[in-house]
Amino acid sequence: MPNNDYIIEIKDVTKIYKADGVETIALNGINLKLKRGDFLAITGRSGSGKSTLMHIIGLLDKPTSGVYFLNGTDVSKFDEDKLALLRNKSLGFVFQSFNLLQRTTAVENVCLPAVYAGIPENERMQKARVLLDELGLLEQSNKKPNQMSGGQQQRVAIARALINDPSIILADEPTGNLDTKSGKDVMKILKSLNKNGKTIILITHEQDIAMQAKKILHLEDGKIN
Amino acid sequence: MDIKELLKLSLRAITANKLRSFLTTLGIVIGVFSIIVLVSIGSGINSYVTTQISSLGSNIFEVLPGGEGNVFGGILSANLKLQDSENVQRNLTGIGKVTPLLQQAAIIKYKNIKIKDAFVGGVSYQYPEVVTSLKMKYGIFFTKSQQLSGAPTVVLGYKINEKFFKNQNSVGNKIYVGEKQYRIVGVADKTGTALGTFDRDNIVYIPVEQAQSQFGTSYIRQIVVSANSKELMPLAIKRVEATLLKRLTKDDFSIETAESISETITNVTNVLSLALGGIAAISLLVGGIGVANIMLVSVTERTREIGLRKALGAKRSDILKQFLLESVLISVTGGLIGIALGIAASLIIARLLVSTVTPWSVFIAFGFSVLVGVIFGMAPAIRASKLNPIEALRYE
């Protein structure tokens, strides 16, 4: 039975990719439990399965077998629209390459998940400005991504991940494209979000970044090591 | 996702590639434009012909050589004689007036002015009483005694008098029809009407006997009958048939009323309108394929964006709507521009030739352009909505 103490509970999750008749086992019997307010770093070399695990946790992919409880609900059998809704409300994504929409201002980028949540324009713009202000980007509100530094862009992306106030933040190599100082800033933000109660899952291959998390999960060949 | 946000997104995408959007829109503009213009020309010809025919009068009918349903073949048959026309007149006393008609193109000449495309109409003195739309400007139509005397008299059509005498009163002058000289006894006023190639102002009228000897024939082209009232039409037709059947068989002649002629011609012009509209619709189809093509490019270019939107919570239907609206916007914009240009062009053509803008062609053209946007936008939009967010996010 699912335990409501856990925000994320993954049981015996396996992911097998089939291509041209060849089976690749990306994840092999993963078990994982996270409580609210946890800060987990998933590490491993490329091909270890950490991205696949991230996609499954992020509801972008479904496991081949096993179950996934999110907030005590089995989401393994959810259809696409239900998953989209959950991604929108419960998860915030931060990507290595920022993934901001070009030709779109910072504040509008931040608003994007709120648009899909159906929040009225005035309300979401106000929320977005507050978030940008907290991240020290108020002056960049009307700038477009190509007018901002990498660090600024990643902070815009973090604001975007926060706009629907999700309980979980998924960060996939968030410092990977940043210089040391900006990388430190981003980690500082993630840590303070964690202090304020957000559950953070961080994917990284850098040991010193992983060390800043409360827990570390090391993947090798699709298994927890 | 609300419609305002969707509109903003689509407009931004369209304006991001101005030249590309313009060229795609142009395809729809051309398609809609040609539908409206070609259909307008078609219906213009239609209403022009109908007015021309009804201007002849609703109580007029014609007896043509050749059997029923033999509209054009009748021109080739020759079996109506002058005698038939006279017999018909005798049996229509008090019911209607009759004139034979033998028209043919001929060269006419006044001094050193030559007109090569004029028609010569061999008719009887009763012609103005039968075709009442013909009014005299100068002089009189030739009389019964002038016709019977065999004197070479001629009545000029308006345009002929314009060319030969610059609209001056030319009664008493002499002109040549072919090799024979005729004295002008009257000039007709402008009728402003034409029947096919038979311009009723570009004609000269001579007594039918003169025309027969001039053209070397003992036949006539048709008998024109005008009933004294519309109510007498059925009786007149019956009498004419009975009279003619004494000498001829049913296959030798046919009776055409203004209505039946206009019906026949309307059928022809309707087919013409449809054919023109069909050709134009093909160009709209090509425009639609252009929209589909550019939308596929747009989806491919924005694969990452689609992946991101899905990761952030966009449902399939959100993505579908976004791309569908984009293609509909392109098509509708093209449709509206095409309609505006098409109406403008049709109005200009209406001044030079004939053309009538029909509301239904505008509605159909607009409806088609919306439909094109939906149909040709559907496949790319579905493709976009089905993209897997992980793969889309990885796409470079």
Side-chain angles (χ1 to χ4, degrees):
Chain A
M1 281 308 290
N3 187 329
N4 274 325
D5 288 349
Y6 297 111
I7 187 164
I8 286 173
E9 191 175 1
I10 283 174
K11 285 184 179 171
D12 210 18
V13 158
T14 301
K15 180 72 189 180
I16 299 168
Y17 290 110
K18 278 180 198 167
D20 302 327
V22 181
E23 285 192 356
T24 314
I25 302 173
L27 291 177
N28 192 353
I30 300 289
N31 286 289
L32 173 67
K33 286 175 182 173
L34 283 184
K35 284 185 176 163
R36 276 183 189 77
D38 265 345
F39 192 154
L40 173 73
I42 301 173
T43 62
R45 274 178 303 200
S46 71
S48 61
K50 60 185 195 300
S51 288
T52 306
L53 182 56
M54 172 82 164
H55 290 147
I56 287 175
I57 296 173
L59 302 171
L60 293 166
D61 205 353
K62 289 183 179 184
T64 310
S65 67
V67 277
Y68 174 13
F69 293 100
L70 182 67
N71 277 320
T73 313
D74 181 4
V75 294
S76 322
K77 303 285 182 302
F78 272 23
D79 68 18
E80 240 188 84
D81 279 359
K82 272 188 170 173
L83 291 176
L85 195 72
L86 266 183
R87 284 198 295 270
N88 185 246
K89 305 260 186 202
S90 310
L91 299 167
F93 290 91
V94 179
F95 303 94
Q96 178 173 1
S97 52
F98 325 135
N99 278 330
L100 297 177
L101 293 182
Q102 303 302 315
R103 292 193 296 269
T104 307
T105 60
V107 68
E108 282 177 305
N109 263 298
V110 174
C111 279
L112 201 53
V115 168
Y116 291 112
I119 293 168
E121 191 173 355
N122 288 340
E123 201 181 315
R124 66 181 184 240
M125 289 297 265
Q126 202 177 341
K127 257 182 153 176
R129 288 217 175 82
V130 169
L131 283 168
L132 284 172
D133 189 25
E134 283 172 7
L135 292 167
L137 288 169
L138 195 59
E139 282 170 23
Q140 327 292 325
S141 291
N142 293 318
K143 286 196 178 161
K144 292 179 180 169
N146 57 9
Q147 298 167 311
M148 290 184 279
S149 71
Q152 287 173 328
Q153 289 190 54
Q154 193 61 302
R155 277 184 282 155
V156 171
I158 292 173
R160 180 179 66 189
L162 292 172
I163 191 155
N164 284 346
D165 198 19
S167 41
I168 303 165
I169 302 289
L170 291 169
D172 187 355
E173 304 271 11
T175 59
N177 278 10
L178 299 178
D179 57 73
T180 320
K181 168 153 193 318
S182 303
K184 276 184 182 161
D185 287 346
V186 165
M187 285 311 293
K188 215 182 277 171
I189 294 166
L190 290 178
K191 275 188 264 182
S192 92
L193 288 172
N194 179 241
K195 207 171 281 173
N196 292 330
K198 301 271 186 222
T199 308
I200 312 273
I201 300 171
L202 172 74
I203 287 196
T204 182
H205 63 276
E206 291 171 68
Q207 204 55 38
D208 57 326
I209 297 281
M211 294 302 279
Q212 300 178 50
K214 292 178 185 168
K215 287 182 184 174
I216 298 180
L217 187 145
H218 186 71
L219 279 181
E220 228 176 273
D221 294 335
K223 285 183 183 167
I224 296 173
N225 192 317
Chain B
M1 203 170 182
D2 54 70
I3 185 76
K4 192 182 151 201
E5 194 62 30
L6 276 172
L7 264 174
K8 217 161 89 183
L9 270 181
S10 305
L11 283 176
R12 187 175 290 168
I14 289 168
T15 48
N17 285 295
K18 290 196 184 66
L19 179 63
R20 192 164 87 184
S21 304
F22 167 74
L23 291 174
T24 312
T25 309
L26 195 61
I28 302 293
V29 171
I30 291 170
V32 169
F33 173 83
S34 36
I35 286 188
I36 292 190
V37 170
L38 290 181
V39 169
S40 296
I41 290 176
S43 48
I45 292 173
N46 203 334
S47 63
Y48 174 76
V49 169
T50 312
T51 357
Q52 291 301 329
I53 290 170
S54 60
S55 74
L56 287 177
S58 57
N59 49 350
I60 280 193
F61 63 92
E62 294 171 343
V63 181
L64 299 170
E68 195 70 40
N70 197 3
V71 188
F72 298 110
I75 295 164
L76 304 172
S77 326
N79 39 31
L80 286 178
K81 294 196 161 189
L82 199 47
Q83 188 59 41
D84 294 317
S85 171
E86 282 158 12
N87 290 343
V88 165
Q89 178 61 85
R90 205 168 310 124
N91 285 328
L92 281 183
T93 314
I95 299 172
K97 297 263 175 3
V98 175
T99 177
L101 176 59
L102 171 62
Q103 84 268 32
Q104 193 160 323
I107 295 170
I108 57 174
K109 212 164 62 182
Y110 172 69
K111 290 186 176 164
N112 52 1
I113 310 169
K114 238 184 205 179
I115 300 175
K116 287 180 178 169
D117 65 344
F119 268 93
V120 175
V123 297
S124 85
Y125 66 93
Q126 292 208 91
Y127 186 81
E129 292 171 67
V130 176
V131 182
T132 50
S133 57
L134 186 88
K135 301 274 184 283
M136 298 306 289
K137 189 166 196 242
Y138 303 116
I140 50 161
F141 207 82
F142 55 78
T143 61
K144 186 177 184 180
S145 59
Q146 278 170 332
Q147 183 180 359
L148 294 177
S149 74
T153 50
V154 65
V155 174
L156 302 190
Y158 182 82
K159 280 187 187 166
I160 305 289
N161 192 56
E162 191 176 30
K163 282 178 196 156
F164 282 167
F165 300 102
K166 300 195 164 60
N167 283 330
Q168 299 302 304
N169 188 346
S170 57
V171 172
N173 285 298
K174 287 180 175 175
I175 64 158
Y176 278 94
V177 175
E179 297 304 316
K180 198 172 170 190
Q181 206 177 32
Y182 287 82
R183 191 172 63 86
I184 300 168
V185 293
V187 175
D189 208 346
K190 198 174 192 166
T191 65
T193 57
L195 260 182
T197 53
F198 178 27
D199 184 343
R200 290 174 62 232
D201 288 320
N202 193 32
I203 193 169
V204 296
Y205 299 98
I206 58 174
V208 63
E209 297 85 354
Q210 311 263 356
Q212 279 187 325
S213 73
Q214 182 125 19
F215 301 139
T217 175
S218 57
Y219 295 101
I220 56 173
R221 200 62 97 197
Q222 52 179 279
I223 301 168
V224 185
V225 182
S226 149
N228 289 349
S229 70
K230 204 170 179 198
E231 289 64 42
L232 284 170
M233 277 277 280
L235 179 64
I237 290 173
K238 221 180 238 172
R239 287 274 180 96
V240 170
E241 272 177 334
T243 311
L244 291 175
L245 281 174
K246 279 180 193 159
R247 192 181 76 79
L248 300 161
T249 70
K250 264 196 151 167
D251 292 334
D252 290 331
F253 67 94
S254 58
I255 290 176
E256 300 278 1
T257 61
E259 272 157 44
S260 74
I261 296 173
S262 100
E263 212 171 279
T264 308
I265 296 179
T266 304
N267 283 342
V268 174
T269 52
N270 278 348
V271 171
L272 184 80
S273 292
L274 271 179
L276 290 175
I279 293 165
I282 289 173
S283 72
L284 184 57
L285 190 75
V286 175
I289 292 170
V291 171
N293 201 9
I294 224 64
M295 289 311 297
L296 282 173
V297 172
S298 176
V299 169
T300 308
E301 277 180 353
R302 282 145 73 193
T303 301
R304 264 183 92 86
E305 175 192 327
I306 295 162
L308 174 73
R309 286 180 183 277
K310 285 193 140 188
L312 298 183
K315 294 193 211 60
R316 259 192 197 190
S317 58
D318 292 322
I319 303 290
L320 188 83
K321 278 184 224 159
Q322 180 185 339
F323 282 91
L324 209 51
L325 188 66
E326 201 175 313
S327 69
V328 169
L329 266 183
I330 289 179
S331 307
V332 167
T333 309
L336 290 177
I337 296 172
I339 286 171
L341 293 179
I343 290 178
S346 299
L347 293 178
I348 292 169
I349 294 172
R351 290 182 165 213
L352 307 173
L353 297 156
V354 286
S355 130
T356 316
V357 180
T358 46
W360 64 264
S361 73
V362 174
F363 283 123
I364 285 184
F366 184 74
F368 261 171
S369 62
V370 175
L371 212 63
V372 160
V374 173
I375 290 173
F376 290 94
M378 195 53 100
I382 288 177
R383 176 186 256 198
S385 74
K386 281 189 174 167
L387 281 177
N388 179 338
I390 302 172
E391 278 163 34
L393 275 170
R394 264 195 219 127
Y395 187 87
E396 293 299 334

